């Protein structure tokens, strides 16, 4: 078998944070207390935390230095102008409206342009995006290409949206009911897969034809641009920045969680060209987030985001980042653990229903795997499956499940080394050997939206 290589970390470590370990007994008690929900476990009780790559990045010395230059004026802080310039130089839109994170950007945008009965197409909506559409009485619809749902397909751009599915939706529902089309890059709910520039152009043309604004959910735009460079013909020699600029040139705007590809612990924004929409968004922002030059952030946070967004386009950094996912995924794959392929940019996704074939979907195999991984090894991962996306279709009816039942091992940016990932792979390989001991669960308490954050469960 070929050796799976991990390039060395393209940084030196200047500040360290100790990792604390716990005993199995302690973890067992914590699971019981949290209702078998790893969101309820204190982070200090987690050995390797792969719950999310969101807001968990290590900032650079340049970003920390920038934090000290925070201008904490209420209006017109200089850091806002730095952010505005940095975002405009990559995204190319006129208005840059900061928010405290991605879902706030979604809320102020959707709240300003959607009404009850509207439809929002996407390749696949992530959970907060779906919730922010649906809370307004609009419908979130997914039109990813068929390969997106086939974990074994090696298609290089499984994040693509199917233009024919989109056209059929527009024709049947009417363009007047579709205030905007979204495109999530990379496609987080579908294995972190990239979208090609060919597809971005095609979808942009469909939207232009029907006069529908086209927006990106741009959280992981730098990783997406890097995959285009590596996989799409004609882009090998372009810089990742040029590719990102071209991606955005086909769109009308974007929402962004800076907690991903702007390498910050908090922050986000909406950026767009349309003056009338921008005005409505700024008015909505003032009610809940703050004045439009800070949008729920301190001046220092704006500065960290202004600096981080450029660092995320560094090709040495992106090479290492994508190699981390390929390394972890490769070790698991080589050991016969079912994983979603190709490996995405920010995470490795385990096919939990194949890992635990003895647990039926209604007993949430993905959730069961996250519980077992924490109990046995102190590793925290997130279920992207039946608990996160399952829904009752009516009172007393059977629950409907998403097509894929996965557990995501999300890799925080610049935080863990190859040795940490090797530990995770070894833990999963061991767990896989004893998989028949893992039990399913049932939900005992849940909330109506985004239930996985607070649900309480019981082992069967
Ligand atoms: C994540 F367990 N993602 O992947 P905000 N769009 C997209 C995202 O991936 C995303 C947001 C919008 C997270 C954090 C997270 O149930 C969960 O800055 C494609 O988090 O508001 C966030 O950006 C929202 C983890 C979100 C979860 C929801 O881990």
């Amino acid at each position: 078998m070929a050796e799976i290589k991990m390039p060395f970390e393209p940084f030196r470590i200047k500040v360290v944070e100790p990792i604390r370990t716990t005993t199995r007994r302690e973890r067992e008690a914590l699971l019981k207390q949290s209702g078998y929900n790893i969101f309820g476990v204190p982070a200090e009780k987690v050995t390797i935390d792969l719950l999310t790559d969101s807001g968990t990045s290590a900032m650079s010395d340049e970003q920390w230095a920038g934090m000290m230059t925070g201008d904490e004026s209420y209006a017109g802080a200089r850091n806002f102008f730095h952010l505005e310039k940095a975002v405009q130089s990559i995204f190319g839109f006129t208005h840059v409206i900061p928010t405290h994170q991605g879902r706030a950007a979604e809320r102020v945008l959707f709240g300003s342009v959607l009404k009850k009965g509207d439809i929002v197409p996407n390749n696949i909506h992530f959970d907060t995006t779906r919730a922010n559409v649906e809370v307004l009485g609009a419908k979130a619809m997914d039109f990813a290409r068929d390969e997106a749902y086939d974990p074994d397909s090696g298609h290089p751009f499984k994040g693509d949206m199917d233009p024919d599915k989109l056209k059929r939706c527009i024709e049947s529902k009417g363009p007047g009911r579709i205030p905007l089309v979204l495109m999530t890059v990379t496609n987080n709910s579908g294995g972190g897969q990239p979208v090609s520039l060919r597809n971005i152009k095609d979808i942009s043309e469909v939207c232009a034809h029907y006069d529908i604004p086209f927006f990106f959910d741009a959280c992981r735009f730098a990783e997406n641009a890097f995959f285009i460079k590596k996989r799409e013909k004609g882009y090998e020699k372009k810089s990742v920045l040029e590719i990102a600029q071209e991606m955005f040139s086909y769109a009308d705007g974007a929402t962004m969680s800076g907690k991903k590809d702007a390498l910050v612990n908090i922050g986000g924004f909406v950026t767009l060209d349309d003056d009338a929409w921008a005005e409505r968004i700024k008015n909505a922002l003032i009610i809940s987030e703050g004045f439009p030059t800070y949008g729920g952030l301190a001046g220092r946070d704006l500065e960290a985001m202004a600096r981080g967004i450029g660092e995320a386009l560094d090709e040495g950094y992106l090479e290492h980042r994508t190699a981390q996912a390929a390394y972890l995924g490769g070790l698991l794959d080589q050991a016969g653990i079912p994983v979603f392929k190709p490996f995405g940019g920010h995470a490795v996704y385990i096919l939990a229903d194949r890992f635990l074939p003895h647990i039926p979907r209604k007993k949430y195999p993905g959730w069961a795997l996250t519980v077992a991984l924490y109990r046995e090894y102190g590793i925290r991962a997130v279920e992207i499956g039946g608990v996160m996306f399952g829904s009752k279709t009516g009172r007393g009816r059977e629950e409907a499940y998403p097509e894929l039942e996965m557990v995501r091992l999300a890799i925080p940016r610049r935080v863990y080394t190859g040795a940490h990932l090797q530990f995770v792979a070894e833990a999963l390989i061991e767990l896989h050997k004893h998989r028949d001991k893992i039990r399913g669960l049932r939900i005992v308490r849940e909330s109506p939206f985004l239930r996985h954050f607070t649900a309480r469960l019981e082992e069967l």
Side-chain angles (χ1 to χ4, degrees):
M1 264 190 273
E3 194 194 343
I4 299 167
K5 287 222 176 75
M6 179 65 228
F8 68 75
E9 281 67 29
F11 47 79
R12 295 190 296 181
I13 298 167
K14 183 144 56 182
V15 177
V16 295
E17 187 185 352
I19 289 179
R20 310 209 184 272
T21 51
T22 46
T23 61
R24 189 180 187 280
R25 221 165 129 178
E26 240 180 300
R27 296 192 293 270
E28 183 64 65
L30 287 161
L31 279 170
K32 221 172 253 162
Q33 265 169 36
S34 67
Y36 294 91
N37 185 337
I38 39 86
F39 282 96
V41 172
E44 282 207 328
K45 304 291 182 191
V46 176
T47 306
I48 304 281
D49 203 346
L50 306 184
L51 181 74
T52 180
D53 63 321
S54 179
T56 52
S57 302
M59 292 207 295
S60 66
D61 48 359
E62 280 294 318
Q63 285 177 290
W64 280 109
M67 296 281 280
M68 286 306 290
T69 69
D71 168 356
E72 305 307 341
S73 310
Y74 191 91
R78 65 173 166 262
N79 316 101
F80 166 75
F81 299 107
H82 297 166
L83 176 69
E84 186 181 55
K85 196 164 155 219
V87 173
Q88 283 169 343
S89 72
I90 301 165
F91 288 65
F93 304 114
T94 329
H95 302 280
V96 178
I97 306 169
T99 59
H100 80 274
Q101 63 183 85
R103 69 198 72 179
E106 291 160 9
R107 195 169 57 82
V108 290
L109 169 66
F110 301 160
S112 303
V113 307
L114 294 186
K115 58 182 185 321
K116 210 171 162 185
D118 281 345
I119 287 161
V120 180
N122 201 332
N123 41 3
I124 305 185
H125 286 82
F126 194 58
D127 63 349
T128 58
T129 324
R130 178 176 301 282
N132 271 301
V133 168
E134 296 189 341
V135 78
L136 296 165
K139 195 166 160 50
M141 295 183 79
D142 299 337
F143 298 119
R145 62 184 309 145
D146 292 342
E147 290 90 339
Y149 301 100
D150 174 3
D152 305 311
S153 154
H155 193 285
F157 291 106
K158 285 160 89 169
D160 285 357
M161 196 185 304
D162 183 329
D164 295 324
K165 291 185 196 169
L166 175 65
K167 272 188 237 163
R168 281 198 295 275
C169 164
I170 301 174
E171 288 290 341
S172 66
K173 310 285 182 192
R177 281 180 67 195
I178 306 179
L180 79 169
V181 169
L182 282 177
M183 173 79 96
T184 306
V185 290
T186 55
N187 184 15
N188 192 9
S189 308
Q193 301 294 309
V195 177
S196 65
L197 252 166
R198 171 75 265 155
N199 187 247
I200 291 169
K201 281 187 225 172
D202 289 347
I203 298 302
S204 165
E205 275 169 28
V206 174
C207 292
H209 176 78
Y210 294 99
D211 204 17
I212 300 172
F214 175 41
F215 272 64
F216 278 102
D217 176 346
C219 302
R220 299 178 181 86
F221 76 94
E223 290 168 11
N224 198 92
F226 187 72
F227 280 124
I228 289 174
K229 183 181 169 89
K230 291 283 161 180
R231 297 180 185 171
E232 192 162 351
K233 217 166 159 248
Y235 289 93
E236 306 84 350
K237 294 209 165 69
K238 294 228 156 137
S239 71
V240 177
L241 170 63
E242 286 167 330
I243 296 170
Q245 287 165 332
E246 186 175 339
M247 285 165 56
F248 295 121
S249 73
Y250 298 108
D252 299 289
T255 57
M256 173 79 189
S257 167
K259 298 170 75 173
K260 285 85 169 173
D261 279 355
L263 290 162
V264 287
N265 306 121
I266 196 71
F269 55 83
V270 188
T271 179
L272 75 170
D273 276 334
D274 190 281
D275 296 333
W277 276 23
E279 194 179 323
R280 275 193 257 165
I281 292 167
K282 284 183 196 172
N283 288 334
L285 194 81
I286 286 171
I287 296 173
S288 61
E289 289 278 298
F291 191 71
T293 59
Y294 75 84
L297 294 169
R300 54 181 174 271
D301 299 325
L302 298 168
E303 188 61 37
M305 189 154 53
R307 294 179 181 213
I309 202 159
E311 289 181 17
L313 289 165
D314 180 276
E315 297 185 16
Y317 153 79
L318 285 165
E319 188 82 53
H320 172 261
R321 171 136 185 87
T322 48
Q324 280 203 314
Y327 173 69
L328 175 58
L331 291 178
L332 298 178
D333 188 35
Q334 208 166 61
I337 293 181
V339 281
F340 191 98
K341 283 190 252 177
F343 305 119
H346 68 296
V348 173
Y349 294 66
I350 299 170
L351 305 168
D353 48 347
R354 294 193 199 166
F355 192 109
L356 299 171
H358 61 287
I359 303 182
R361 292 296 296 271
K362 65 176 182 208
K363 293 183 184 166
Y364 308 118
W367 200 271
L369 183 53
T370 63
V371 168
L373 193 56
Y374 178 69
R375 176 187 278 132
E376 302 303 333
Y377 297 100
I379 296 168
R380 180 154 69 170
V382 76
E383 184 248 38
I384 299 201
V387 179
M388 185 181 279
F389 286 118
S391 59
K392 293 238 164 53
T393 42
R395 259 186 99 192
R397 296 247 199 94
E398 285 277 292
E399 203 166 45
Y401 301 108
E403 295 199 38
L404 297 168
E405 176 75 14
M406 301 191 286
V407 165
R408 186 186 70 175
L409 306 165
I411 307 174
R413 292 167 182 76
R414 308 190 289 208
V415 169
Y416 292 120
T417 65
H420 290 119
L421 299 181
Q422 197 182 341
F423 166 74
V424 174
E426 283 166 9
L428 272 154
I429 292 166
E430 228 11 69
L431 200 60
H432 193 237
K433 288 188 196 146
H434 307 287
R435 59 191 178 275
D436 51 325
K437 295 208 185 77
I438 300 176
R439 290 183 286 158
L441 302 102
R442 72 182 188 93
I443 295 177
V444 290
R445 210 161 76 215
E446 62 183 290
S447 62
F449 282 103
L450 300 172
R451 65 178 179 177
H452 57 289
F453 285 125
T454 52
R456 293 188 71 83
L457 294 94
E458 221 169 57
E459 281 191 309
L460 295 164

